[in-house]
Amino acid sequence: MKKQFVLFVLAATFFGFAARAQDTIKTTGDAPLVLSGSVDTYWKTDFSGHANIPTSFANENNSVSIGMVDLGLKKSVGNASFVGELSFGPRGQQQSLPNADPGLVTFPGTSETGVGYSSYHIQNLYVSYNLTSKFNLTAGYMSTFIGYEVISPAANFNYSTSYLFTNGPFQNAGLKATYTFSDKVSLMAGIFNDYWNVYQSGGKVNTFGAQLTVTPVKNWTAYLNVATGPESGTEFDLTTNYQITSAFKLGLNAADFTAGEAYSYKGGFSGVALYPQVAVSKVVTLGIRGEYFDTKAGAYVTAGPPPGESVTGITFTANIKAGPLTFIPEIRFDNSSKSDMFVDGSGNYTSGATQFLLAAVYGF
Amino acid sequence: MKKFGILGLFCLLSVKFAFCQQDLLSFDEHNKYIFYQVVDMPGLTADSLHERGLHFLKTAYPKTVIKSAEGASVTGGGKFLTYGGVSVMRHEKGEIAYQFNIGLKDQKYRFWLTSFVFTPYQRDRYGNFVPETGVDIPLEEITDKLEKKEAEAYLDEAGAFCKQWGDKLKSYMTRAQEEKKEPAARKVVTDKW
């Protein structure tokens, strides 16, 4: 009996200290090692009976499919910090990463099969140092500074992605410097590898990138971006978000891309996407993504309509939160300028495609 | 045996206390959350309390923005981070901005923290937790905007922060400003022994 009391007292004391420790507000000192990330899964059906819309992720038809396990580590000590983010699963491997495992392949010139490639599964891997409170240097492999949408499903409102996202860079490896002039203006400029989305350059570090961040009024932030290089091509991008009321947010992404001059082929794309979102309760937010995407004439091929054509996409999405879990029902209608982009249920070319999906994303 | 029973009860109460830090907050006449205390400081003048109060703000909370330090009060604002999760999964969930007012008189001072506004954090594309632009929730409305469990956790953290802020202020007010003395380096003479 006495022993039980001792154990009880020890346990209660331990939990008491544990609870008190969590109430301590840390105002100074170095942050601990932090692990964060997400897990996502989805089911999609295209009304034609097979996958049609060529944008990134959520592309497996009539299948309860997986996105990825995303694990990010971050540690800061003084002015130095690092982020290492690994992802496992289709969304975080062959659908977004270089050198990824595409599954079983037949090796060229032989009848042998095997795993084609291996991948490091890296989404972010960089180190960062604050030279002053306003001036920061960062080097490594980083999520791109261009565009509205990202790979991580926890950071996107819509689960399917836009044509602008799919055809723009996902990651840039390089060295960048960011100077914060005031709480309303900052400027990033950097030099990046010659190609997007690769861990290693093709032999050159010759893509220039810059981002001007402005906050014209409270709750409105705009990012003016440029990335340009002979191999990577030139993309001008405007990404902006305005929380107009506590319930209503409006986002916009506009971009123009021209293929790199190092290649004989020409072409590119331009487009604009609008993201109005309204919170209708503390757990439900409704939103629309309206996108117009146009490809330039030339031989440059996009994940979208053929050169010289266009596509319009309207996506209705709801985010329903249950603690860290978000359910995302979404219906999407895409229409192309010519009847040669999608295929209907009978196998004939058509100009329209419609899909419904239900996704679940757990963020931690 | 009785001792163990008393100790067990004490520990249970400690646990209960640790989970109810939001009870430290009250409502003022405008129905806003407030943490208010009056503290007697016998033998100390308003001037010395003023000097120690400023030293506290600059030393204990150096990121505090002091709006006014004239006369018998010091006013300003600051913010603190709120955390969620456990162990290595514990990370910033948001920040709470607050306004403070320290009133000074001979032999006593009072202070209050109020106008708490919560801004949630979200993970950005680079893996950092950053404030969600344009989402500012007054603490009085937090239970309407967030789920109950989450809202109560932030209220607890606000209560805990206020208590910590007040306790630190008292410790600075109680002791005179100590000059930092570099500890003398220990030297060993090896040629004499």
Side-chain angles (χ1 to χ4, degrees):
Chain A
M1 189 66 182
K2 196 172 176 179
K3 200 180 264 181
Q4 282 174 324
F5 259 110
V6 172
L7 286 173
F8 168 76
V9 167
L10 282 173
T13 308
F14 171 78
F15 285 117
F17 279 129
R20 287 180 67 87
Q22 288 183 16
D23 286 332
T24 303
I25 306 297
K26 206 172 179 184
T27 53
T28 57
D30 300 322
L33 181 71
V34 169
L35 175 65
S36 63
S38 65
V39 171
D40 64 297
T41 182
Y42 70 95
W43 172 80
K44 182 188 91 162
T45 182
D46 191 288
F47 289 12
S48 70
H50 50 81
N52 242 330
I53 295 173
T55 53
S56 304
F57 320 133
N59 41 18
E60 293 166 12
N61 193 55
N62 195 24
S63 165
V64 177
S65 289
I66 54 176
M68 65 179 182
V69 180
D70 188 34
L71 297 171
L73 281 173
K74 182 180 180 183
K75 172 77 178 168
S76 294
V77 175
N79 291 321
S81 61
F82 83 84
V83 169
E85 186 182 350
L86 304 169
S87 54
F88 305 90
R91 185 177 182 122
Q93 287 180 246
Q94 69 265 30
Q95 290 175 9
S96 65
L97 291 181
N99 310 327
D101 171 11
L104 206 61
V105 296
T106 303
F107 294 123
T110 73
S111 58
E112 292 176 19
T113 57
V115 174
Y117 307 94
S118 62
S119 173
Y120 304 119
H121 305 200
I122 302 293
Q123 294 286 347
N124 274 297
L125 192 164
Y126 65 82
V127 292
S128 188
Y129 191 80
N130 294 323
L131 288 170
T132 71
S133 61
K134 293 186 172 184
F135 189 45
N136 171 273
L137 286 177
T138 301
Y141 184 74
M142 298 157 277
S143 279
T144 186
F145 51 94
I146 283 177
Y148 189 91
E149 298 179 20
V150 297
I151 292 172
S152 167
N156 284 339
F157 183 82
N158 310 97
Y159 191 75
S160 69
T161 57
S162 67
Y163 289 94
L164 284 172
F165 167 78
T166 296
N167 290 286
F170 289 176
Q171 277 109 352
N172 302 98
L175 168 68
K176 64 181 184 180
T178 306
Y179 190 82
T180 305
F181 294 94
S182 70
D183 56 359
K184 292 187 173 178
V185 181
S186 68
L187 178 68
M188 179 280 287
I191 190 77
F192 300 91
N193 283 352
D194 45 7
Y195 295 100
W196 301 337
N197 310 348
V198 289
Y199 299 127
Q200 186 181 348
S201 78
K204 298 170 190 167
V205 184
N206 61 359
T207 296
F208 170 76
Q211 178 177 65
L212 177 66
T213 304
V214 290
T215 305
V217 296
K218 192 174 185 291
N219 302 338
W220 180 19
T221 304
Y223 306 90
L224 295 156
N225 307 308
V226 62
T228 182
E231 281 81 16
S232 64
T234 300
E235 181 158 356
F236 293 100
D237 176 272
L238 166 67
T239 297
T240 182
N241 252 322
Y242 190 13
Q243 186 79 38
I244 297 169
T245 70
S246 62
F248 182 65
K249 183 165 92 171
L250 185 63
L252 173 90
N253 183 205
D256 179 87
F257 171 76
T258 304
E261 62 198 36
Y263 301 101
S264 56
Y265 55 77
K266 302 296 174 199
F269 62 83
S270 57
V272 62
L274 204 60
Y275 300 82
Q277 289 155 16
V278 61
V280 294
S281 78
K282 59 184 174 184
V283 294
V284 179
T285 303
L286 305 176
I288 299 173
R289 175 182 56 211
E291 181 183 20
Y292 174 78
F293 183 82
D294 180 70
T295 51
K296 298 176 180 176
Y300 185 84
V301 177
T302 65
E309 297 183 24
S310 65
V311 63
T312 304
I314 304 287
T315 307
F316 297 91
T317 304
N319 277 196
I320 304 160
K321 289 197 175 294
L325 189 60
T326 304
F327 293 101
I328 309 176
E330 181 176 292
I331 187 157
R332 174 170 176 166
F333 307 92
D334 281 22
N335 258 289
S336 63
S337 57
K338 286 187 182 175
S339 300
D340 57 357
M341 186 173 164
F342 305 115
V343 179
D344 66 16
S346 308
N348 301 315
Y349 281 114
T350 180
S351 60
T354 303
Q355 68 175 35
F356 171 81
L357 69 82
L358 178 62
V361 180
Y362 188 101
F364 55 90
Chain B
M1 195 67 179
K2 197 184 270 181
K3 282 182 203 167
F4 277 115
I6 292 168
L7 192 57
L9 189 64
F10 173 76
C11 292
L12 274 179
L13 287 173
S14 299
V15 173
K16 175 78 179 158
F17 172 77
F19 280 113
C20 293
Q21 301 287 310
Q22 63 177 288
D23 293 345
L24 297 167
L25 299 175
S26 310
F27 284 101
D28 69 4
E29 60 271 38
H30 307 295
N31 278 327
K32 290 172 74 173
Y33 276 114
I34 189 168
F35 183 86
Y36 181 87
Q37 278 186 357
V38 180
V39 183
D40 289 324
M41 299 296 291
L44 287 172
T45 64
D47 284 346
S48 61
L49 288 173
H50 189 275
E51 190 182 320
R52 292 179 188 188
L54 282 178
H55 177 62
F56 155 74
L57 292 170
K58 288 172 184 168
T59 311
Y61 297 95
K63 289 182 179 173
T64 296
V65 177
I66 299 171
K67 285 182 186 165
S68 167
E70 301 296 318
S73 70
V74 181
T75 61
K79 55 190 172 186
F80 61 93
L81 294 173
T82 61
Y83 291 83
V86 291
S87 188
V88 291
M89 307 276 272
R90 187 168 167 80
H91 59 74
E92 307 96 316
K93 298 292 263 187
E95 62 183 34
I96 296 177
Y98 61 91
Q99 300 295 314
F100 69 84
N101 190 315
I102 305 172
L104 306 150
K105 281 187 178 180
D106 287 340
Q107 306 196 50
K108 66 178 177 181
Y109 72 90
R110 66 173 183 167
F111 72 92
W112 65 89
L113 280 76
T114 189
S115 300
F116 300 99
V117 177
F118 174 74
T119 302
Y121 273 27
Q122 61 184 1
R123 203 173 82 142
D124 70 7
R125 61 183 67 199
Y126 308 114
N128 301 306
F129 286 93
V130 295
E132 210 173 323
T133 306
V135 184
D136 300 320
I137 306 169
L139 219 52
E140 296 76 23
E141 298 170 17
I142 200 164
T143 48
D144 300 329
K145 306 273 184 180
L146 302 178
E147 289 180 62
K148 191 182 172 192
K149 192 178 169 188
E150 192 181 2
E152 286 189 345
Y154 298 140
L155 286 167
D156 277 344
E157 290 206 55
F161 173 81
C162 291
K163 185 177 182 307
Q164 188 187 68
W165 199 93
D167 290 348
K168 275 190 184 173
L169 175 61
K170 190 175 180 182
S171 73
Y172 275 76
M173 289 298 206
T174 305
R175 65 175 191 264
Q177 191 171 329
E178 292 170 2
E179 285 181 22
K180 277 190 177 176
K181 288 179 182 174
E182 290 292 328
R186 288 183 62 194
K187 286 189 178 176
V188 176
V189 179
T190 55
D191 56 351
K192 291 176 185 172
W193 61 292

